[in-house]
Amino acid sequence: MTDTAASTAGPLVTGAEIARLAGVTRAAVSNWRRRHDDFPAPAGGAANSPLYALAEVQAWLDRQRKGQEVSPEVELWQALRAVYGEQMIAGLAQVARVLTGEAGAEVPDDISSRVRGLARTESPADLVNGLTERFVDSARRAGSDQVTPERVVRAVCHFAPQLRPGATVFDPACGIGVLLLSVASEAGTRCRGQEMDADSARFAQLRADLLGRSGVRVVAGDSLRADEWPDLKADLVVCDPPAGVTEWGREELLLDSRWDLGTPSKAEGELAWLQHAYAHTAPGGHVLMVMPASVAYRKAGRRIRAELVRRGILRQVVALPPGMATSHALPVHLWSLQRPENAAGMDTHRTVRMVDLTDNRPDGDLEPRPDQVADVSPIELLDDTVDLTPGSHLRPRHRDHPGEYAALRRELEDRIRRLAALLPELAAGGGPGSLDGATTSVADLARAGLVAYDGQEPVSASEQLDTDYLRGFLRSSANARRSTSASGTYRFDGRGSRIPRMGIDDQRRYGSAFRALSEFEEGMREVEELSRQLAEVARDGLATGGLAPEE
């Protein structure tokens, strides 16, 4: 975004930020753009990633009362949570069966009527995509590794090879199909998947059917113990395998022909999945595996790693930025393999490209700088440890310290200007304690049906209550103290939290201010990371002679 665009339109927001602002999915925002002629026009960005003026979006949401009332999509999600709880995938599969018109869908009448009502105003594809997005977001907030995180999916798509028309893509642990369908997005691509959880496999197939993806086939079953695609040879295999699983079937699979590179130990289940994926590649085909960083150096997997290097199968290892995985802040790696074109040949002269992005932000650029890449010869890797950690093989290289410093400084100044514009105008209030008189507990609001929960976050379930107002007061210092245990651990406790009683107009006034503060805090976290990078470049430049203080 240019300075001119920022000053003309004010702070700009993405479609995803609009969705968070209104408490809906990105699919709902896409529907608004198509169906409402008065929806704000893009004020910047690109055609496939437009940016909108925050002030115009907020004004439009206020006119439409979006975000001030619970949307039908949210009501459906809340109804599904009430019925299916932790078995939400089973519920989503049943909803997808209703949308496809499949007989035998056992869905409660309340949910069925909501689904059919939404299907009259939304396409089945948009509806199932919205539910999928909400489930993925819920899993992310809960720190679950049930679904491949959106950031990791983006990285796999970025580093995936260009597919020829009619290519075959396979995912042997596809879950609900997020990674498989994202990588194989081109029309005409054949997709094959297998997933141990039957509900997930069923939902993945039904979602593909609703999206019109006729080339997709997903089956249920344990890929390692009961391979349902024994004769499949794919152009690309992608996989985010179960991590840290020791009961993957080693004892019953000791003599399996897939262990061409060596029999994995019980603790190296990820290397069993890697060899399973490689066994399903056609000559010249590729494998992209999401791997824990520890697989690159653990002693138990040394022999298999050595064979990957010695035979020229391993082509690239990318250390992704920390924070890309949902369940932890540790970096994950992306291993890229390729089967030789000649079945009898081995390409032992190729180097292995090491890419270290661990200094980048999780949502930042995935294209590495020259100093983040090293092409390492097999002889350098085939030592006693066979350590494939990219950071261990990067050599100091020339950096454009003046260029990096100037660019980061411009970006920091631009973000600070945008942050200042986010701060709400606040006047003097009635003083401390002026809102303590008439208050209501969240427990009472929930019993009255005015509050529901989307994951851990409370949301309004009534036009009498504004969600941003509710969440803003729940995060106040008084309620934070009520939610802190004797050991000092913060744990949200809705039963003890209280909020002031106000009319809906006053609620919206407070809610707007709280919403602006939340956006300000999120922006400050981004500025903190940008400031760290700027200081690091400046310090390194000064220490190496790349930068010097002005006289």
Side-chain angles (χ1 to χ4, degrees), residues 170-174 193-196 219-223 226-229:
F170 176 49
D171 186 342
C174 68
Q194 185 165 344
E195 167 55 38
M196 184 182 300
V219 296
D222 184 335
S223 285
D227 186 2
E228 294 291 334
W229 303 102

Side-chain angles (χ1 to χ4, degrees), residues 104-330:
E106 300 175 358
V107 181
D109 292 341
D110 174 53
I111 292 176
S112 179
S113 63
R114 291 183 188 277
V115 171
R116 291 192 168 90
L118 279 167
R120 287 193 288 271
T121 59
E122 292 188 35
S123 71
D126 285 340
L127 182 52
V128 77
N129 275 341
L131 289 171
T132 303
E133 182 183 307
R134 195 171 287 278
F135 175 77
V136 170
D137 191 51
S138 176
R140 176 187 60 80
R141 290 200 305 270
S144 169
D145 56 3
Q146 190 174 7
V147 181
T148 302
E150 181 181 10
R151 290 164 170 168
V152 175
V153 172
R154 180 172 72 96
V156 175
C157 292
H158 178 84
F159 289 103
Q162 185 72 35
L163 295 173
R164 61 174 176 79
T168 298
V169 180
F170 176 49
D171 186 342
C174 68
I176 61 173
V178 172
L179 180 59
L180 175 63
L181 296 180
S182 297
V183 172
S185 59
E186 295 296 326
T189 304
R190 296 172 66 244
C191 296
R192 299 294 181 262
Q194 185 165 344
E195 167 55 38
M196 184 182 300
D197 180 72
D199 288 325
S200 296
R202 185 64 177 154
F203 180 63
Q205 182 64 65
L206 289 168
R207 179 177 172 232
D209 295 342
L210 289 167
L211 295 176
R213 302 287 297 275
S214 59
V216 177
R217 295 289 181 271
V218 178
V219 296
D222 184 335
S223 285
L224 295 184
R225 291 184 172 94
D227 186 2
E228 294 291 334
W229 303 102
D231 300 321
L232 176 67
K233 300 297 181 183
D235 299 283
L236 173 63
V237 182
V238 294
C239 188
D240 180 11
V245 176
T246 57
E247 299 301 324
W248 54 268
R250 184 180 189 275
E251 290 75 9
E252 57 204 270
L253 298 172
L254 277 174
L255 302 179
D256 198 287
S257 61
R258 288 172 292 183
W259 315 145
D260 183 44
L261 304 172
T263 304
S265 71
K266 189 174 183 179
E268 294 288 342
E270 295 89 356
L271 291 178
W273 283 98
L274 181 140
Q275 293 193 76
H276 173 74
Y278 184 68
H280 280 289
T281 55
H286 296 262
V287 175
L288 276 175
M289 294 286 296
V290 180
M291 302 288 260
S294 57
V295 181
Y297 59 81
R298 285 195 301 231
K299 184 177 181 180
R302 180 178 56 192
R303 178 189 168 190
I304 296 174
R305 293 197 302 272
E307 286 300 305
L308 285 168
V309 174
R310 189 175 290 114
R311 300 189 193 186
I313 295 170
L314 182 67
R315 298 302 170 88
Q316 180 170 271
V317 179
V318 181
L320 297 174
M324 295 192 80
T326 303
S327 55
H328 55 76
L330 298 176

